Amino acid sequence: MDSYLVYRGLLLPKTVHTEDSLNYYESIQFQDDDVILITYPKSGTTWMQEILPSLLNGGDPTPVLTIPSWIRVPWLEQVCIPEVMHTLSAPRAFVSHMPFNLMPPSFFTSKAKVIYITRNPKDVAVSHFYFNQMASFLPDPGNFEEYANNFLAGKVIYGKWTDHVKSWRNPGLGDRILYITYEEMIQDVYGVIKCVLGFLDRQLSEDALKGVVEQCQFKNMKQNKMSNYSLVPPDYLDTSKSSFLRKGIAGDWKNHFSPELDAKFNEVINEELKGTDYRFLWEQVQHN
Ligand code: PPS
């Protein structure tokens, strides 16, 4: 528990959150043209942090190639935010892992738009397991089965995956929220980007759009120092244990789950999602 700060019942990693950053978070004043990317960790955050700035600035790749991802699209709740806030110009893009009910008060009265990305929770658990191994500020996750059980019980940062996705489902935001999935991005990132452009009432030339698609390819992001987290010192993120941009595929869970764990995972997640209208593409995705 030493690694965690508990914020309104939610476990957060201490190094990247402080009482001050969370006080600041609560006081943030949203503007109507803000765009907020919301994810449960390991669901495609960094990928959309690569895409969004270019969509908001007419396709210019300069920010993505010159500004670290956590500064160009900063976390609302993390330590950098007070310093970074004044460097942003409208339309601003933010990211957050917070559940709906813990959003800052001004969110509920603004018209800021939300892009919510979900990913197959089995792949989320695998990706997060490796992240816990590389992040010195998080506890040792143990073996995968131990980690997966903690994940199901919500004894991980940002709590239970099902609580997060349920909190953001039908929250009364109407056309202020767009739902996309990591798996749709894997299948057709071009189509997803066009959909995001429509949601944001923005247009790009076909050439600029193709440029964004190219820039956000996994292999290109792996080479982009501003996006691959290689700027973070190794005593925070130890890349000898795992890469931040690790595999970038759908379905890696099949290499990690025993049949028993798979059955338990299905049972718990299905039970907890009962009564919701979530329909996911998980099993139809072509794996690369
Ligand atoms: S975090 O810590 O919440 O910001 O992590 P997040 O960025 O949400 O998730 C990291 C996983 O997303 C994968 N990723 C990608 N996959 C495919 N294509 C692209 N361009 C891409 N960018 C990031 C990243 O590899 C992590 O997944 P895993 O399964 O660990 O590879």
Side-chain angles (χ1 to χ4, degrees):
M1 286 298 284
D2 280 356
S3 318
Y4 299 130
L5 181 158
V6 183
Y7 176 70
R8 303 197 182 196
L10 209 59
L11 299 181
L12 303 179
K14 254 185 196 163
T15 311
V16 284
H17 301 81
T18 60
E19 300 286 346
D20 283 351
S21 75
L22 291 163
N23 284 336
Y24 186 90
Y25 167 76
E26 291 180 356
S27 74
I28 288 173
Q29 295 299 310
F30 288 99
Q31 295 166 5
D32 287 347
D33 57 357
D34 287 342
V35 184
I36 311 165
L37 165 63
I38 305 274
T39 58
Y40 186 86
K42 303 300 159 192
S43 302
T45 325
T46 317
W47 199 351
M48 193 52 79
Q49 281 173 307
E50 195 81 355
I51 295 170
L52 258 184
S54 302
L55 306 194
L56 294 174
N57 73 10
D60 179 1
T62 312
V64 164
L65 298 174
T66 56
I67 308 173
S69 56
W70 58 91
I71 294 179
R72 72 176 105 98
V73 186
W75 267 272
L76 293 170
E77 59 269 21
Q78 294 190 0
V79 283
C80 295
I81 189 69
E83 281 169 47
V84 171
M85 188 61 98
H86 71 270
T87 68
L88 304 172
S89 51
R92 309 179 300 181
F94 298 101
V95 64
S96 175
H97 290 320
M98 285 291 188
F100 176 70
N101 49 308
L102 297 187
M103 288 299 281
S106 115
F107 171 76
F108 298 98
T109 53
S110 81
K111 293 186 181 137
K113 288 188 172 173
V114 173
I115 299 173
Y116 188 80
I117 311 181
T118 43
R119 183 182 189 185
N120 183 340
K122 295 178 192 172
D123 283 332
V124 167
V126 170
S127 179
H128 218 200
F129 170 70
Y130 286 103
F131 183 70
N132 274 252
Q133 286 186 339
M134 77 183 298
S136 66
F137 51 87
L138 292 175
D140 179 343
N143 65 35
F144 181 68
E145 179 132 7
E146 286 162 352
Y147 179 76
N149 280 307
N150 282 332
F151 179 89
L152 283 180
K155 293 183 193 157
V156 292
I157 54 171
Y158 289 97
K160 265 194 193 183
W161 179 86
T162 48
D163 285 344
H164 200 281
V165 297
K166 284 195 287 190
S167 83
W168 280 100
R169 195 69 184 171
N170 302 320
L173 294 178
D175 58 7
R176 276 179 63 193
I177 186 162
L178 174 72
Y179 296 97
I180 55 183
T181 66
Y182 177 90
E183 290 75 17
E184 287 167 324
M185 292 172 77
I186 289 279
Q187 276 190 325
D188 178 16
V189 75
Y190 175 93
V192 168
I193 292 173
K194 284 199 89 149
C195 179
V196 174
L197 276 170
F199 173 67
L200 298 177
D201 291 323
R202 303 217 147 230
Q203 272 141 22
L204 280 192
S205 68
E206 193 57 24
D207 278 355
L209 181 53
K210 284 188 180 145
V212 179
V213 169
E214 188 55 23
Q215 175 55 42
C216 79
Q217 295 297 310
F218 185 72
K219 62 177 189 323
N220 293 334
M221 283 180 60
K222 260 187 107 73
Q223 299 304 317
N224 183 359
K225 277 200 170 95
M226 298 297 147
S227 309
N228 64 14
Y229 281 85
S230 60
L231 296 176
V232 176
D235 49 336
Y236 283 101
L237 288 181
D238 184 350
T239 48
S240 69
K241 295 190 173 152
S242 180
S243 301
F244 188 95
L245 294 166
R246 195 183 55 91
K247 282 199 179 174
I249 59 169
D252 192 33
W253 67 270
K254 292 179 183 164
N255 300 315
H256 295 79
F257 278 60
S258 64
E260 296 73 28
L261 179 60
D262 188 32
K264 178 175 178 185
F265 215 89
N266 289 340
E267 191 186 326
V268 172
I269 299 281
N270 288 337
E271 180 61 31
E272 293 182 359
L273 287 186
K274 219 181 237 170
T276 68
D277 59 353
Y278 265 114
R279 298 284 175 275
F280 292 116
L281 273 176
W282 300 328
E283 300 312 328
Q284 292 120 49
V285 168
Q286 295 299 311
H287 305 142
N288 51 13

Coordinates of all heavy atoms in Angstrom, one line a residue, residues 39-47 75 97 119 123 127 131 182 186 216-218 221 229 244-249, ligand 1:
T39 N -9.7 6.9 -20.5 CA -9.4 5.5 -20.6 C -9.2 4.9 -19.2 O -8.7 5.5 -18.3 CB -8.1 5.2 -21.4 OG1 -7.0 5.9 -20.7 CG2 -8.1 5.7 -22.8
Y40 N -9.5 3.6 -19.1 CA -8.9 2.8 -18.0 C -7.5 2.5 -18.5 O -7.2 2.3 -19.7 CB -9.7 1.5 -17.8 CG -9.2 0.6 -16.7 CD1 -9.7 0.9 -15.4 CD2 -8.3 -0.3 -16.8 CE1 -9.3 0.1 -14.3 CE2 -7.8 -1.1 -15.7 CZ -8.4 -0.9 -14.5 OH -7.9 -1.6 -13.4
P41 N -6.4 2.5 -17.6 CA -5.1 2.4 -18.1 C -4.9 1.2 -19.0 O -5.5 0.1 -18.9 CB -4.3 2.1 -16.8 CG -5.1 2.8 -15.7 CD -6.5 2.7 -16.1
K42 N -4.0 1.4 -20.0 CA -3.6 0.3 -20.9 C -4.6 0.0 -22.0 O -4.7 -1.1 -22.5 CB -3.1 -1.0 -20.2 CG -2.0 -0.7 -19.2 CD -0.8 -0.2 -19.9 CE 0.1 0.5 -19.0 NZ 1.1 1.3 -19.7
S43 N -5.4 1.0 -22.3 CA -6.5 0.8 -23.3 C -6.3 1.4 -24.6 O -7.2 1.4 -25.5 CB -7.9 1.2 -22.6 OG -8.1 0.6 -21.4
G44 N -5.2 2.2 -24.8 CA -5.0 2.8 -26.0 C -4.7 4.3 -25.8 O -4.8 5.1 -26.8
T45 N -4.5 4.8 -24.6 CA -4.3 6.2 -24.3 C -3.2 6.8 -25.2 O -3.4 7.8 -25.8 CB -3.8 6.3 -22.8 OG1 -4.5 5.3 -22.0 CG2 -4.1 7.7 -22.3
T46 N -2.0 6.2 -25.1 CA -0.8 6.8 -25.8 C -1.1 6.9 -27.3 O -0.6 7.8 -28.0 CB 0.4 6.0 -25.5 OG1 0.4 5.6 -24.1 CG2 1.7 6.7 -25.9
W47 N -1.8 5.9 -27.8 CA -2.1 5.8 -29.2 C -2.9 7.1 -29.6 O -2.7 7.8 -30.6 CB -2.9 4.6 -29.5 CG -2.9 4.1 -31.0 CD1 -2.5 4.8 -32.1 CD2 -3.4 2.9 -31.5 NE1 -2.7 4.1 -33.2 CE2 -3.2 2.9 -32.9 CE3 -3.9 1.7 -30.9 CZ2 -3.6 1.8 -33.7 CZ3 -4.3 0.7 -31.7 CH2 -4.1 0.7 -33.1
W75 N -2.3 14.6 -18.5 CA -3.2 14.0 -17.6 C -3.8 15.1 -16.7 O -3.1 15.9 -16.2 CB -2.6 12.9 -16.7 CG -2.7 11.6 -17.3 CD1 -3.7 10.7 -17.1 CD2 -1.8 10.9 -18.1 NE1 -3.5 9.5 -17.8 CE2 -2.3 9.6 -18.4 CE3 -0.6 11.3 -18.7 CZ2 -1.7 8.7 -19.2 CZ3 0.1 10.4 -19.5 CH2 -0.5 9.1 -19.8
H97 N -7.6 9.1 -16.5 CA -8.0 7.7 -16.2 C -9.1 7.7 -15.1 O -9.5 6.7 -14.5 CB -6.9 6.9 -15.6 CG -5.8 6.5 -16.5 ND1 -6.0 6.2 -17.8 CD2 -4.4 6.5 -16.4 CE1 -4.8 5.9 -18.4 NE2 -3.9 6.1 -17.5
R119 N -10.8 -1.4 -24.1 CA -10.0 -2.5 -24.7 C -10.4 -3.8 -23.9 O -10.8 -3.7 -22.8 CB -8.5 -2.2 -24.5 CG -7.6 -3.2 -25.1 CD -6.1 -2.9 -24.8 NE -5.2 -3.7 -25.5 CZ -3.9 -3.7 -25.4 NH1 -3.3 -2.9 -24.5 NH2 -3.1 -4.5 -26.1
D123 N -6.6 -8.3 -22.3 CA -5.4 -7.7 -22.9 C -5.0 -6.5 -22.0 O -3.8 -6.2 -21.9 CB -5.6 -7.2 -24.3 CG -5.6 -8.3 -25.3 OD1 -4.9 -9.4 -25.0 OD2 -6.3 -8.2 -26.3
S127 N -1.2 -6.2 -20.4 CA -0.4 -5.0 -20.7 C 0.0 -4.4 -19.3 O 1.1 -4.0 -19.1 CB -1.2 -4.1 -21.6 OG -0.5 -2.9 -21.8
F131 N 3.5 -3.6 -17.3 CA 3.8 -2.2 -16.9 C 4.2 -2.2 -15.4 O 5.1 -1.5 -15.0 CB 2.6 -1.3 -17.2 CG 2.8 0.2 -16.8 CD1 3.7 0.9 -17.6 CD2 2.2 0.7 -15.8 CE1 4.0 2.3 -17.3 CE2 2.4 2.1 -15.4 CZ 3.3 2.8 -16.2
Y182 N -10.1 -0.1 -28.6 CA -8.7 -0.4 -29.1 C -8.7 -1.4 -30.3 O -8.0 -1.2 -31.3 CB -7.9 -1.0 -27.9 CG -6.5 -1.4 -28.2 CD1 -5.5 -0.6 -28.0 CD2 -6.2 -2.7 -28.6 CE1 -4.1 -0.9 -28.3 CE2 -4.9 -3.1 -28.9 CZ -3.9 -2.2 -28.7 OH -2.6 -2.6 -29.0
I186 N -7.1 -1.2 -34.0 CA -6.3 -2.2 -34.6 C -6.8 -2.6 -36.0 O -6.0 -2.7 -36.9 CB -6.2 -3.5 -33.7 CG1 -5.4 -3.2 -32.4 CG2 -5.7 -4.7 -34.4 CD1 -3.9 -3.3 -32.5
C216 N 0.9 7.3 -36.5 CA 0.5 6.5 -35.3 C 0.6 5.0 -35.5 O 0.1 4.3 -34.6 CB -0.9 7.0 -34.9 SG -2.2 6.2 -35.9
Q217 N 1.3 4.6 -36.6 CA 1.6 3.1 -36.6 C 2.5 2.7 -35.5 O 3.4 3.5 -35.1 CB 2.3 2.8 -37.9 CG 1.5 3.1 -39.2 CD 0.3 2.2 -39.3 OE1 0.3 1.0 -39.1 NE2 -0.9 2.8 -39.6
F218 N 2.2 1.6 -34.9 CA 3.0 1.1 -33.8 C 4.5 1.2 -34.0 O 5.2 1.7 -33.1 CB 2.5 -0.4 -33.5 CG 3.2 -1.0 -32.3 CD1 2.7 -0.6 -31.0 CD2 4.2 -1.9 -32.3 CE1 3.3 -1.1 -29.8 CE2 4.7 -2.5 -31.2 CZ 4.3 -2.1 -29.9
M221 N 5.5 4.9 -33.8 CA 5.5 5.4 -32.4 C 6.6 4.8 -31.6 O 7.1 5.5 -30.7 CB 4.1 5.1 -31.8 CG 3.0 6.0 -32.3 SD 1.4 5.6 -31.5 CE 1.8 5.9 -29.8
Y229 N 8.2 6.8 -24.3 CA 8.5 6.9 -22.9 C 10.0 6.7 -22.6 O 10.4 6.5 -21.5 CB 7.7 6.0 -22.0 CG 6.3 6.6 -21.8 CD1 5.3 6.4 -22.7 CD2 6.0 7.3 -20.6 CE1 4.0 7.0 -22.5 CE2 4.8 7.9 -20.4 CZ 3.8 7.8 -21.3 OH 2.6 8.4 -21.1
F244 N 7.3 0.1 -22.9 CA 6.0 0.7 -22.7 C 5.1 0.4 -23.9 O 4.0 -0.1 -23.8 CB 6.2 2.2 -22.6 CG 4.9 2.9 -22.2 CD1 4.6 3.2 -20.9 CD2 3.9 3.2 -23.2 CE1 3.4 3.8 -20.6 CE2 2.7 3.8 -22.9 CZ 2.4 4.1 -21.5
L245 N 5.7 0.6 -25.1 CA 5.0 0.1 -26.4 C 5.5 -1.3 -26.6 O 6.5 -1.5 -27.3 CB 5.3 1.1 -27.5 CG 4.8 2.5 -27.3 CD1 5.5 3.4 -28.3 CD2 3.3 2.6 -27.5
R246 N 4.8 -2.2 -26.0 CA 5.3 -3.6 -25.8 C 5.0 -4.5 -27.1 O 5.9 -4.7 -27.8 CB 4.6 -4.2 -24.6 CG 5.1 -5.4 -24.0 CD 4.3 -5.9 -22.8 NE 2.9 -6.0 -23.2 CZ 2.3 -7.2 -23.7 NH1 3.1 -8.2 -23.7 NH2 1.1 -7.2 -24.0
K247 N 3.7 -4.9 -27.3 CA 3.4 -5.7 -28.5 C 2.4 -5.0 -29.4 O 2.5 -5.2 -30.6 CB 2.8 -7.0 -28.1 CG 3.8 -8.0 -27.6 CD 3.1 -9.4 -27.6 CE 4.1 -10.5 -27.1 NZ 3.4 -11.8 -27.0
G248 N 1.5 -4.2 -28.9 CA 0.5 -3.5 -29.7 C -0.4 -4.4 -30.5 O -0.7 -4.1 -31.7
I249 N -0.9 -5.5 -29.9 CA -1.8 -6.3 -30.7 C -3.0 -6.6 -29.8 O -3.0 -6.4 -28.6 CB -1.1 -7.7 -31.0 CG1 -0.6 -8.4 -29.8 CG2 0.0 -7.5 -32.0 CD1 -0.2 -9.9 -30.0
Ligands
PPS1 S1 -1.3 4.1 -20.3 O1 -0.2 3.8 -19.3 O2 -2.6 3.9 -19.7 O3 -1.1 5.4 -20.9 O4 -1.1 3.0 -21.4 P1 -1.9 3.0 -22.8 O5 -1.2 3.9 -23.7 O6 -3.4 3.2 -22.5 O7 -1.7 1.5 -23.3 C1 -0.5 1.0 -23.7 C2 -0.9 -0.2 -24.6 O8 -1.3 0.4 -25.9 C3 -0.4 -0.1 -26.9 N1 -0.2 0.8 -28.0 C4 -0.5 0.5 -29.3 N2 -1.0 -0.6 -29.9 C5 -1.1 -0.6 -31.2 N3 -0.7 0.4 -32.0 C6 -0.3 1.6 -31.5 N4 0.1 2.6 -32.3 C7 -0.1 1.7 -30.1 N5 0.3 2.6 -29.2 C8 0.2 2.1 -28.0 C9 0.9 -0.4 -26.2 O9 1.7 -1.2 -26.9 C10 0.3 -1.1 -24.9 O10 -0.2 -2.4 -25.1 P2 0.6 -3.7 -25.0 O11 -0.4 -4.8 -25.1 O12 1.3 -3.7 -23.7 O13 1.6 -3.7 -26.1

